[in-house]
């Protein structure tokens, strides 16, 4: 089995390898009374969500992208009996199971399944009735919660240069998601001997999520300080990236509103070409940005504050004039509606060619008028999870931008 490296130095270089997760039975374990706990606003229809996701994967494959699936990589990573046993103990502990008898019962149940079925079941969540448990264990139906947010593969780990950030998620609900990437990079034959550096780890005491991490060029990173990412995490990542000898020279930390509509930086702007960005009008006012660089004498990061419009800040650090393409054309009603359905959240396949949700037709038309090749995908059900094509994809290899 060939080894694979992480190589992501832009948002727009030709996409060669990407990680997805096809929605599974975890979606069927959503119920109205537990939506808030599981971070959903609605319940997608799984059959149609899978059809939409398969259409997304076909678009990528038809454009020469190798598509890997999280669930398949995780199943291969735990094939060795000792690794599998260790993995199960960790999964059960992180699910909050403290009763030793119950933990043993869960382990026996999962251990009896083939690797892929085991991974699928852990992602889907384990109901008490599947173990034949009665009222002794309370009214809540799960001994292990479902992970319905997993199809947003951008968040739980993120490629950065030749390494990754293995993220500590903000909400308890999503923290277990990162265990799959932990085992993939430790034990999967693709990566276990590749020595992929970690610029952040899942057991740290501050939070960061991949939707806040944008790679603007081989020299410039943008990371959002958002509802889901702490300022301290951004500074940790900056120091480690600089000290690892990566090509990045500047990290821009953007403070964005702490609300669900502006959940991550990539919900308010994404890069679509070397000099073009989609943007939500809500962040076009004057911004305060931490410009983080490295002081080799002090062997520490240096922070300077910058103030200005998004256009001014991006133009300065990318050393070129940039065009901001407003979600919804700047119309407050249209922008609000299409932003809710991730109109600013695009996935670039090659510079100037993007995948978007078809429902954001106003923004898509404006992108086309700005000479962006727009490939739309169906999204009636996937969009109910509040994430777009960028959220649903984790690039593992992009070619250099020519």
């Amino acid at each position: 089995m060939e080894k694979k490296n992480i190589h992501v130095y832009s948002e727009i270089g030709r996409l060669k390898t990407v990680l997805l997760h096809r929605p599974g039975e975890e979606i069927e374990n959503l119920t109205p009374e537990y939506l808030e706990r599981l971070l959903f606003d609605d319940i997608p229809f799984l059959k149609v969500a899978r059809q939409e996701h398969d259409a997304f994967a076909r678009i990528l494959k038809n454009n020469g992208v190798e598509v890997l699936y999280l669930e398949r990589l995780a199943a291969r990573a735990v094939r060795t009996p000792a690794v599998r046993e260790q993995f199960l103990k960790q999964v059960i502990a992180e699910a909050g199971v403290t009763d030793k008898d119950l933990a043993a019962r869960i382990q026996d149940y999962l251990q009896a399944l083939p690797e892929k079925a085991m991974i699928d079941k852990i992602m889907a969540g384990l109901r008490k009735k599947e173990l034949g448990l009665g009222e002794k264990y309370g009214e809540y139906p799960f001994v292990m919660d479902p992970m319905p947010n997993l199809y947003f593969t951008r968040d739980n780990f993120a490629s950065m240069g030749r390494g990754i950030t293995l993220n500590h998620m903000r909400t308890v609900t999503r923290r277990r998601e990162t265990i799959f990437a932990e085992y993939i990079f430790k034990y999967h034959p693709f990566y276990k001997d590749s020595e992929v550096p970690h610029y952040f780890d899942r057991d740290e005491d501050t939070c960061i999520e991949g939707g806040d991490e944008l790679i603007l060029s081989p020299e410039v990173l943008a990371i959002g300080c958002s509802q889901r990412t702490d300022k301290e995490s951004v500074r940790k990542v900056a120091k480690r990236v600089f000290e690892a000898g990566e090509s990045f020279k500047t990290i821009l930390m953007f403070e964005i509103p702490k609300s669900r509509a502006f959940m991550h930086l990539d919900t308010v702007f994404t890069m679509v070409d070397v000099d073009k960005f989609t943007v939500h009008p809500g962040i076009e006012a004057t911004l305060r940005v931490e410009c983080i660089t490295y002081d080799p004498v002090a062997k520490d990061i240096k922070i300077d504050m910058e103030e200005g419009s998004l256009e001014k800040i991006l133009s300065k650090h990318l050393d070129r004039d940039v065009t901001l393409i407003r979600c919804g054309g700047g119309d407050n009603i249209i922008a609000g509606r299409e932003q809710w359905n991730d109109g600013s959240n695009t996935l670039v396949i090659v510079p100037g060619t993007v995948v978007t949700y078809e429902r954001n037709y106003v923004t898509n038309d404006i992108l086309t008028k700005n000479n962006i090749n727009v490939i739309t995908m169906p999204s009636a059900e996937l969009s109910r999870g509040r994430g777009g094509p960028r959220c649903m994809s984790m690039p593992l290899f992009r070619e250099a931008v020519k």
Side-chain angles (χ1 to χ4, degrees):
M1 190 175 287
E2 67 174 305
K3 300 295 179 188
K4 292 184 178 291
N5 297 318
I6 300 295
H7 187 276
V8 181
Y9 286 90
S10 75
E11 292 290 314
I12 61 170
R14 179 178 290 277
L15 184 58
K16 298 299 292 181
T17 305
V18 71
L19 184 74
L20 305 181
H21 168 59
R22 188 172 188 255
E25 297 297 327
E26 61 273 8
I27 301 299
E28 299 280 70
N29 277 332
L30 286 167
T31 61
E33 61 190 309
Y34 301 122
L35 286 178
E36 185 176 356
R37 174 187 179 119
L38 297 172
L39 308 179
F40 265 67
D41 298 311
D42 202 350
I43 302 172
F45 178 22
L46 178 59
K47 177 182 176 181
V48 177
R50 280 178 162 170
Q51 292 169 352
E52 293 171 354
H53 198 272
D54 290 344
F56 180 38
R58 278 196 302 275
I59 289 170
L60 297 175
K61 292 173 184 176
N62 290 342
N63 283 273
V65 182
E66 177 188 26
V67 175
L68 304 178
Y69 285 92
L70 179 70
E71 56 273 25
R72 295 176 188 169
L73 294 187
R76 179 62 182 84
V78 300
R79 184 175 294 176
T80 304
V83 173
R84 181 176 168 133
E85 183 176 358
Q86 172 189 319
F87 170 77
L88 284 175
K89 286 180 178 177
Q90 186 172 340
V91 163
I92 294 165
E94 292 191 19
V97 178
T98 56
D99 182 295
K100 290 183 179 179
D101 291 338
L102 178 57
R105 194 165 178 171
I106 295 170
Q107 179 134 353
D108 289 343
Y109 178 87
L110 294 172
Q111 190 86 39
L113 299 174
E115 287 95 347
K116 174 65 165 51
M118 180 190 75
I119 293 295
D120 288 342
K121 175 52 64 178
I122 291 167
M123 292 177 170
L126 185 57
R127 299 185 194 181
K128 290 174 180 174
K129 74 173 187 178
E130 293 176 86
L131 296 179
L133 299 178
E135 295 180 0
K136 171 186 173 183
Y137 292 96
E139 294 183 5
Y140 186 66
F142 299 103
V143 291
M144 295 176 64
D145 275 2
M147 304 185 197
N149 297 278
L150 265 177
Y151 72 87
F152 301 120
T153 53
R154 178 73 60 161
D155 292 330
N156 45 65
F157 86 91
S159 304
M160 183 178 289
R162 58 186 172 84
I164 63 168
T165 60
L166 182 54
N167 296 331
H168 182 77
M169 311 292 278
R170 171 67 67 192
T171 59
V172 172
T173 294
R174 297 201 67 183
R175 284 180 191 161
R176 291 178 301 133
E177 294 178 26
T178 62
I179 195 170
F180 303 109
E182 177 184 354
Y183 276 77
I184 288 167
F185 285 102
K186 276 185 181 178
Y187 300 112
H188 194 286
F190 280 169
Y191 297 106
K192 68 176 182 178
D193 297 321
S194 298
E195 297 183 352
V196 175
H198 290 198
Y199 301 131
F200 200 87
D201 271 303
R202 65 191 299 269
D203 58 357
E204 305 210 29
D205 59 1
T206 59
C207 299
I208 188 169
E209 299 192 3
D212 281 314
E213 302 174 44
L214 279 68
I215 301 170
L216 303 184
S217 78
E219 292 80 36
V220 183
L221 298 175
I223 305 181
C225 177
S226 69
Q227 184 189 57
R228 303 288 182 88
T229 293
D230 297 320
K231 185 176 296 188
E232 295 82 1
S233 299
V234 181
R235 292 171 178 171
K236 288 177 190 176
V237 170
K239 192 169 191 294
R240 292 166 189 171
V241 164
F242 293 140
E243 290 180 343
E246 286 278 14
S247 62
F248 306 114
K249 306 300 180 191
T250 303
I251 296 180
L252 303 173
M253 186 175 73
F254 288 83
E255 291 222 27
I256 61 173
K258 309 295 192 288
S259 70
R260 184 156 172 76
F262 294 82
M263 187 188 310
H264 292 126
L265 190 61
D266 70 0
T267 64
V268 292
F269 82 89
T270 52
M271 195 170 187
V272 296
D273 206 344
V274 293
D275 58 355
K276 295 184 179 77
F277 294 80
T278 59
V279 60
H280 185 274
I283 64 158
E284 284 195 273
T286 299
L287 298 169
R288 282 177 59 81
V289 173
E290 277 194 9
C291 178
I292 307 173
T293 54
Y294 190 69
D295 183 339
V297 177
K299 295 184 178 180
D300 203 356
I301 58 172
K302 179 179 177 231
I303 299 173
D304 295 301
M305 297 303 301
E306 294 188 5
E307 194 170 292
S309 66
L310 179 62
E311 182 179 6
K312 177 182 174 183
I313 291 166
L314 292 174
S315 295
K316 173 186 173 182
H317 289 281
L318 294 177
D319 196 25
R320 60 172 62 96
D321 292 336
V322 302
T323 299
L324 301 184
I325 302 168
R326 293 178 175 177
C327 178
D331 180 284
N332 287 339
I333 298 296
I334 298 171
R337 183 185 72 245
E338 295 204 351
Q339 170 68 11
W340 183 246
N341 293 306
D342 292 278
S344 297
N345 190 272
T346 62
L347 175 67
V348 178
I349 299 176
V350 296
T353 295
V354 301
V355 183
T356 67
Y357 280 164
E358 65 182 1
R359 67 187 303 147
N360 296 315
Y361 58 90
V362 175
T363 303
N364 292 339
D365 184 56
I366 295 166
L367 285 167
T368 300
K369 289 175 179 175
N370 278 272
N371 299 314
I372 300 299
N373 178 30
V374 178
I375 304 173
T376 61
M377 60 170 286
S379 55
E381 298 303 316
L382 291 174
S383 63
R384 296 177 191 270
R386 307 272 76 85
R390 186 182 191 273
C391 297
M392 293 191 300
S393 57
M394 187 61 254
L396 301 175
F397 198 103
R398 284 190 184 272
E399 291 183 351
V401 180
K402 298 177 181 178

